[in-house]
Amino acid sequence: MLEAKILKKSYGTVVAVDGVSLRAAAGETVGLLGPNGAGKTTTVSIIAGLTRPDSGEVFINGKPLRGDTDPAKREIGLVPQDIALYDELSALANLEFFGALYELSGQTLQRAIAEALELVGLAARVKDKVKTFSGGMKRRLNLAAALLHDPQILLLDEPTVGVDPQSRNAIFDNLETLKKRGKALIYTTHYMEEAERLCDRLIIIDHGKVIADDTLQGLFRRLPVTNLLAIELQPPEAGPWIQQLQALSEVRSAEMCDGVLKVGMHGLSEGAPKILQWLTDHGHSYQHVVSERADLESVFLTLTGRSLRDS
Amino acid sequence: MTTSFRAMVRKDIQMFFTDRRAVLMSFVAPIVIASFFGYIFGGQSGQTAPTRIPILIVDQDGSAISRQIVAGLMADQTLDGKLSSLDAARTAVRKGKAIVAILIPQGFGADAGRALFGAAQKPEIGALYDPSHATELAMVQGMLAGSVMESVGSQVGAQVRLAMPYSVRQEAITSGSDTAYNGYAHAFGGMGVQFILFMGIEAGIGILLQRQRGLWSRLRAAPLSRGALLGSRAVSAGLIAMLILLVLFGFAWLVFGVRIEGSLVGFLGVCAAFSLMTATFGLLIAALGKTPEATRGLAIFATLVMVMLGGSWVPTFVFPQWLQNLTVAVPTRWAVDGLDAMTWRGLGFAASIAPIGVLLLFSLLFGVIAVVRFRWEADA
């Protein structure tokens, strides 16, 4: 449905996007993950036709996107990072305007507005001015404005910045509904939790380059461990038995830290029972067990050597 | 016109009218200020009493001649003459209470009579004047000359009565011999031009604000041509400008009796051409400006210079000649002159052609620069 090939864009000597390629199919959510300034927004701008790439092309349904008035732009719905709404106008006036930009009018436009408002749960506030909305409601209306022309591809540039958890969850629900309807979603974020929850596939960008493009599971497989079992032993004794534990096929690492045995593994459901059984069989009793899962932060750290939040 | 184009124009107009400050600045402010300027600069001639020049007369002579001079000056309808002592006169002029003080020295009557027919030294009449009113001094000197000649001639027993050998028949040349000059016409034109340009600035700033708030990205993401995006803005700004001009002159017509004494078509043509120029001026600001905050101040300054040189505040004929020549390169000069020509000057359509043409040329120039310099790409 959407394909971008080897996109490059520089501003003076600053390389913003350096050979980014991506694709998104119908019903797929692709996350663009990276720190601020990584090139996510520039990539989205190029795909949306706002920025001309120095090289590379964007294809919509196999056809290259050409020029400002290319009808293929109707297949794209852009949800900008900013709340791109007219505060002084009502929600209805905003949506009528943004729908009209795609030549929608009359009953078609009103039907599209009703559907979009119903999806984002703002039908009751349709006549209110946007300036009276909360931040979360504005974000939802921001999303609705991109849906009026029924685009097949949605470009969501950090659509939950600055919203409360409740509104964020509401937006997630909206996006999951859209995905079920067969939309292709490109979702930029630097919130790992969002990417993990929403995205089928993740493209990690750093310094304008794609450093990984895989499913969440695929990215986790690149890690030395995907799960960590923290076991408080009673008594907390280290010993040569730890090497024996490491010899188990499920175990990737094992060490005692401050009286807690930390065992790294791939696959908690298979590994954890065997490890706990092994400890019992070898006379080690435990009073508390906690499991930790690797996250995208770990992935980014492994791939770049830097923390995502610190980048 | 496509649905999208209409929607963009309609939205801009809707946004303008939802902004109370913009409406106040565009309609109320020019009406208030133009009403004031119109009154100051003559108002509706014939309906207001002409302003008389306040003068003081210090008669230290007290002779028959000096008393007759004083009587002559006091009787003049263009002067508001009062007798005074020298010290009081000096203080009054210094404080701006009087524009000129005429000092008739002791012995003036006798000396003037001798000087009229012989080689005797001419006596001096003193004139203390406010230097900010040099023009009025010249007028008072003229009236004084007439009064002195008449008084001296009649009192020294001349065989022939001396008097000014002419009188002046005054006729204000406006649209017709039966039409009085209406100072409000120029004031409403001038203030209209100024405040419409302010509106043009806001239209340009609006584009910069749209860019800053991400709205421009949303517009650019739609399958719209660049011509439609900028053209719709120009049309909406032009329509608003036209509406402001028509409302202002409508008000002036209703309240102050301003009439389109010249060609109505020419008047509408000047209004339309100036409206278009304002619209492209707004686009120019959007193209050259970086941030709304930085751009607004600079644009207002440039506009104020333009309206000042264009004759919106004071007519250009009071400028030095070199400056008058320079101001033909200022579009507001053509707008103000065009509106003057079609209103109180009562000239025909032919007189509107040059202003319309020049304003359209400026529109083209501003529009081309705006399109060429416009930053279409999303900000990095």
Side-chain angles (χ1 to χ4, degrees):
Chain A
M1 188 172 270
L2 167 69
E3 187 173 14
K5 286 185 178 172
I6 323 174
L7 302 177
K8 291 189 177 182
K9 180 71 184 177
S10 297
Y11 295 99
T13 56
V14 178
V15 180
V17 174
D18 191 3
V20 168
S21 295
L22 61 86
R23 59 171 61 208
E28 185 182 27
T29 302
V30 176
L32 286 183
L33 184 70
N36 289 328
K40 305 185 299 288
T41 296
T42 306
T43 301
V44 166
S45 293
I46 293 171
I47 295 170
L50 311 181
T51 300
R52 192 190 297 265
D54 297 335
S55 63
E57 275 196 297
V58 175
F59 296 85
I60 308 291
N61 295 325
K63 291 181 181 171
L65 197 59
R66 295 262 186 261
D68 297 322
T69 56
D70 192 329
K73 286 175 86 177
R74 291 182 62 87
E75 299 301 331
I76 298 173
L78 173 67
V79 182
Q81 196 175 109
D82 302 298
I83 296 174
L85 300 166
Y86 293 98
D87 266 358
E88 297 297 324
L89 300 183
S90 68
L92 179 63
N94 267 281
L95 295 182
E96 283 177 338
F97 171 64
F98 291 120
L101 294 183
Y102 292 85
E103 300 299 325
L104 299 180
S105 61
Q107 288 297 312
T108 312
L109 176 59
Q110 293 307 322
R111 202 163 38 244
I113 290 171
E115 284 174 10
L117 285 173
E118 191 184 333
L119 178 78
V120 300
L122 289 174
R125 299 291 302 271
V126 66
K127 290 183 178 170
D128 294 345
K129 285 189 176 177
V130 173
K131 67 180 178 185
T132 66
F133 284 16
S134 68
M137 290 164 73
K138 285 181 183 177
R139 283 281 169 200
R140 280 146 63 196
L141 191 62
N142 206 32
L143 171 64
L147 303 176
L148 298 166
H149 57 291
D150 194 24
Q152 296 308 301
I153 301 159
L154 269 178
L155 303 176
L156 302 130
D157 192 3
E158 310 212 16
T160 60
V161 171
V163 302
D164 58 277
Q166 194 181 353
S167 291
R168 180 174 294 191
N169 281 330
I171 291 172
F172 289 168
D173 291 344
N174 297 156
L175 297 180
E176 279 163 352
T177 303
L178 291 166
K179 182 181 162 184
K180 283 178 193 158
R181 291 180 187 173
K183 311 287 185 194
L185 274 60
I186 302 285
Y187 190 97
T188 81
T189 183
H190 60 269
Y191 294 128
M192 293 162 294
E193 308 79 26
E194 292 189 358
E196 287 183 36
R197 173 173 168 180
L198 290 172
C199 300
D200 302 304
R201 200 150 51 76
L202 284 155
I203 296 171
I204 299 179
I205 299 182
D206 191 32
H207 297 309
K209 288 185 177 177
V210 173
I211 56 173
D213 179 354
D214 209 337
T215 61
L216 189 62
Q217 295 309 315
L219 288 172
F220 284 160
R221 275 196 293 274
R222 300 183 187 202
L223 297 172
V225 295
T226 54
N227 298 91
L228 194 68
L229 213 55
I231 307 162
E232 284 184 31
L233 293 173
Q234 191 63 39
E237 291 176 343
W241 57 269
I242 291 180
Q243 278 77 43
Q244 294 173 340
L245 178 65
Q246 281 179 326
L248 290 177
S249 61
E250 289 81 8
V251 175
R252 293 285 177 275
S253 63
E255 60 179 342
M256 286 293 287
C257 296
D258 299 329
V260 177
L261 174 65
K262 292 197 171 179
V263 184
M265 71 194 77
H266 276 302
L268 184 70
S269 55
E270 300 92 31
K274 286 185 182 177
I275 290 162
L276 295 175
Q277 186 61 53
W278 187 94
L279 289 171
T280 305
D281 292 348
H282 288 78
H284 300 286
S285 54
Y286 46 87
Q287 58 179 12
H288 192 63
V289 178
V290 179
S291 75
E292 293 171 13
R293 192 171 67 99
D295 56 19
L296 284 170
E297 175 68 47
S298 324
V299 174
F300 192 82
L301 185 64
T302 302
L303 292 172
T304 67
R306 290 179 290 119
S307 163
L308 182 63
R309 296 185 198 282
D310 296 339
S311 294
Chain B
M1 202 186 284
T2 62
T3 302
S4 55
F5 194 90
R6 275 200 309 273
M8 286 189 283
V9 172
R10 190 170 53 239
K11 183 267 302 168
D12 285 343
I13 294 173
Q14 203 174 355
M15 289 294 291
F16 173 79
F17 282 103
T18 56
D19 185 349
R20 282 183 193 166
R21 190 183 65 89
V23 173
L24 201 71
M25 281 297 289
S26 301
F27 291 100
V28 181
I31 284 175
V32 170
I33 297 175
S35 301
F36 174 76
F37 271 105
Y39 179 76
I40 295 300
F41 289 126
Q44 292 166 272
S45 294
Q47 293 189 14
T48 53
T51 305
R52 300 169 78 185
I53 302 169
I55 67 165
L56 296 174
I57 307 159
V58 182
D59 184 5
Q60 294 179 326
D61 187 23
S63 64
I65 288 178
S66 69
R67 284 199 303 275
Q68 193 173 344
I69 292 170
V70 169
L73 292 174
M74 301 275 254
D76 197 307
Q77 289 301 305
T78 56
L79 301 176
D80 179 17
K82 288 187 177 69
L83 281 169
S84 172
S85 68
L86 179 59
D87 289 343
R90 191 178 290 278
T91 304
V93 173
R94 185 179 296 124
K95 288 181 176 176
K97 303 286 185 192
I99 290 173
V100 184
I102 301 294
L103 171 61
I104 305 173
Q106 196 168 13
F108 175 82
D111 294 346
R114 284 194 293 275
L116 185 64
F117 297 110
Q121 193 174 355
K122 294 176 184 174
E124 280 185 349
I125 288 183
L128 311 173
Y129 73 99
D130 180 342
S132 67
H133 290 270
T135 310
E136 285 91 334
L137 172 66
M139 290 170 65
V140 173
Q141 281 179 325
M143 290 157 195
L144 179 65
S147 184
V148 169
M149 289 293 288
E150 202 163 333
S151 305
V152 173
S154 65
Q155 294 295 327
V156 298
Q159 297 299 313
V160 181
R161 180 175 171 268
L162 292 175
M164 296 300 279
Y166 63 90
S167 63
V168 176
R169 179 177 59 82
Q170 294 182 345
E171 182 184 348
I173 302 302
T174 58
S175 53
S177 56
D178 57 342
T179 307
Y181 168 68
N182 191 326
Y184 292 104
H186 175 81
F188 272 81
M191 286 302 115
V193 163
Q194 174 173 317
F195 282 89
I196 285 168
L197 282 175
F198 285 162
M199 184 281 296
I201 291 173
E202 289 307 316
I205 299 287
I207 296 179
L208 294 176
L209 282 170
Q210 281 193 345
R211 188 187 284 277
Q212 201 176 55
R213 293 175 186 165
L215 282 156
W216 190 249
S217 296
R218 184 157 260 162
L219 295 176
R220 292 273 289 123
L224 300 168
S225 69
R226 297 174 180 198
L229 282 169
L230 288 190
S232 63
R233 198 77 189 178
V235 168
S236 57
L239 287 174
I240 293 168
M242 190 78 180
L243 179 68
I244 294 171
L245 268 176
L246 295 180
V247 168
L248 291 189
F249 275 99
F251 181 90
W253 177 72
L254 277 174
V255 178
F256 299 117
V258 170
R259 296 285 180 269
I260 310 303
E261 306 286 0
S263 162
L264 180 62
V265 176
F267 172 77
L268 292 174
V270 173
C271 290
F274 176 66
S275 299
L276 183 63
M277 196 223 77
T278 300
T280 54
F281 177 64
L283 295 182
L284 186 69
I285 286 166
L288 300 181
K290 300 286 182 200
T291 64
E293 298 78 14
T295 305
R296 182 175 280 116
L298 199 62
I300 288 176
F301 174 72
T303 300
L304 288 176
V305 170
M306 214 154 59
V307 297
M308 178 182 71
L309 294 178
S312 292
W313 299 344
V314 289
T316 50
F317 64 75
V318 302
F319 296 170
Q321 190 58 49
W322 67 268
L323 192 54
Q324 288 189 45
N325 295 339
L326 196 71
T327 56
V328 294
V330 180
T332 45
R333 162 85 187 269
W334 293 92
V336 172
D337 284 359
L339 292 172
D340 278 353
M342 296 302 109
T343 53
W344 66 269
R345 287 191 190 280
L347 301 180
F349 178 75
S352 70
I353 292 173
I356 291 172
V358 173
L359 288 169
L360 290 179
L361 280 175
F362 273 108
S363 305
L364 186 67
L365 178 70
F366 291 165
V368 167
I369 296 173
V371 170
V372 170
R373 294 290 306 274
F374 200 83
R375 286 177 294 128
W376 291 100
E377 298 249 324
D379 293 329

